[in-house]
Structures are given as structure tokens and as C-alpha cells.
Amino acid sequence: MMVLLLLTMMLQLSSSGSSSGGVSTSTTKMNPRRRHCGLKISPLVRNNRLSHKVIIGHRGAPFHLPEHTIASYRLALELGVDYIEPDLVSTKDGRLVASHSLDLNDTTNVADVFPISRSDTKERNNNRTGYWISDFTLKEIKTLRVRQRYGYGKNGDTNFRTTLYDDVFTIPTLEEIINLLYNW
């Protein structure tokens, strides 16, 4: 059985536990003008010859559980997705964590945990003030709890996403996501 993870492109991961950590490498000739990262894209994906429609769990199953949590990715797998696609952001100490937004205000309890003095204004976001992931270490990020981005009534939204699981889950690291897939 193949377990697949879509990071920035669809990569073929084998659950057989090869010595390269399950990532297949390619030795095919590439266009010399294009860089090749050494990872092999599944021929079924490259040639668009899948016998069924591909279902991608982007951010896991965010309608049911807060996005980018191990529970949300697990639920997406249990619902039968072919791929999960986490958005990855680097912390201050260089660790990759799953989050769609660079501003922790959007999806966590950061304002309840850290003082306003930890917030910062970033030019890259139209001088918007926020709590930016890149300003926190992984240890600090792990003290936060994830909240549903668009719960019923938040920001005038009425899409009925449940907020019952707000403040229950933590932000996962890339390693935790890979461990979930490896043990799936």
C-alpha cells in the first residue's frame, strides 16, 4: 500500500520503509534548464492517468476539526483522502510547523498566552500587527492551542464550522505529520 503526502508537489512515499525514509529518488534525465530536487513524482500523477478522481485533504479535514492539526489530518485519512496537504511555515529556530497563516492570531490562542509586547508589525503584510510564527521558537509554539479559523459567527461567517474543538489541539511539526503517515 502506498501512503502519499503532498507538500509542495506530490511525492511518492512508500510504506515499505526503504533506507531513504520512504522517498523514492529518480534517475531520469531532466531538462538541463530545470532544477531537479531528486524526488520522484508518481507517474500516475505526472501523466494524469489515475483511474479515479484524486481527493486531497488540504489542511486535513478543516470543516470538521481545526485545520492543520494531527486530528484533522487523521480524520481526512479516515475519510479516505488520497493525499494530505499541509502548509508549512518556519519557526524562529528553523523548525517547520503546519499553519496556513503566518499570523498566529488567526488560528490560535496566542493573545491569551503571550503579552501584546510580543506582537510585531511586519512590512510584508501591509504593516499589519500580529503574532508572527517566525518570531516564536518551536517550544513557544507548542504552548499554543489551535482554534477553528472560521467558526460559526466568527467574522460574520455562517458556514457552521464547529468550534467545539477550539483550544484542544496543538500546532504539529512536519515530523509529527510524517510520523502520522508512517504509522497510518
Side-chain angles (χ1 to χ4, degrees):
M1 177 177 166
M2 298 299 287
V3 177
L4 298 171
L5 166 67
L6 183 67
L7 293 172
T8 55
M9 63 181 184
M10 294 180 187
L11 305 174
Q12 187 173 2
L13 299 178
S14 168
S15 61
S16 62
S18 68
S19 61
S20 63
V23 178
S24 302
T25 56
S26 174
T27 57
T28 59
K29 291 184 179 179
M30 298 298 291
N31 181 335
R33 289 181 282 162
R34 299 178 93 191
R35 288 186 167 177
H36 181 54
C37 66
L39 299 174
K40 180 180 176 186
I41 299 174
S42 168
L44 295 175
V45 172
R46 183 176 51 246
N47 299 327
N48 196 22
R49 297 182 188 221
L50 296 171
S51 61
H52 66 285
K53 292 185 180 195
V54 175
I55 301 170
I56 299 172
H58 183 226
R59 305 180 199 167
F63 184 82
H64 304 286
L65 293 169
E67 64 188 41
H68 291 303
T69 61
I70 292 297
S72 185
Y73 295 131
R74 179 182 277 296
L75 179 59
L77 292 168
E78 290 173 1
L79 292 171
V81 300
D82 298 299
Y83 303 91
I84 63 169
E85 181 188 358
D87 298 319
L88 301 172
V89 182
S90 181
T91 62
K92 185 177 186 175
D93 51 353
R95 301 292 302 273
L96 292 177
V97 295
S99 180
H100 176 73
S101 176
L102 300 175
D103 185 357
L104 292 165
N105 270 323
D106 294 340
T107 56
T108 71
N109 65 338
V110 67
D112 298 337
V113 177
F114 291 97
I116 191 69
S117 61
R118 283 298 302 269
S119 66
D120 189 16
T121 302
K122 299 287 186 191
E123 286 183 29
R124 68 176 179 264
N125 289 303
N126 298 321
N127 290 326
R128 184 174 151 211
T129 299
Y131 292 88
W132 310 104
I133 290 179
S134 59
D135 293 336
F136 290 85
T137 65
L138 179 61
K139 184 177 180 180
E140 292 170 324
I141 293 287
K142 284 301 192 176
T143 65
L144 304 176
R145 296 295 174 258
V146 179
R147 294 179 174 168
Q148 189 66 276
R149 175 184 294 277
Y150 300 113
Y152 180 70
K154 286 186 180 178
N155 303 320
D157 192 16
T158 57
N159 68 5
F160 299 103
R161 286 188 183 185
T162 183
T163 56
L164 291 174
Y165 301 101
D166 281 4
D167 300 328
V168 174
F169 306 110
T170 62
I171 298 174
T173 63
L174 175 59
E175 291 88 355
E176 290 169 330
I177 297 167
I178 291 172
N179 285 336
L180 169 67
L181 291 174
Y182 183 76
N183 294 313
W184 180 249

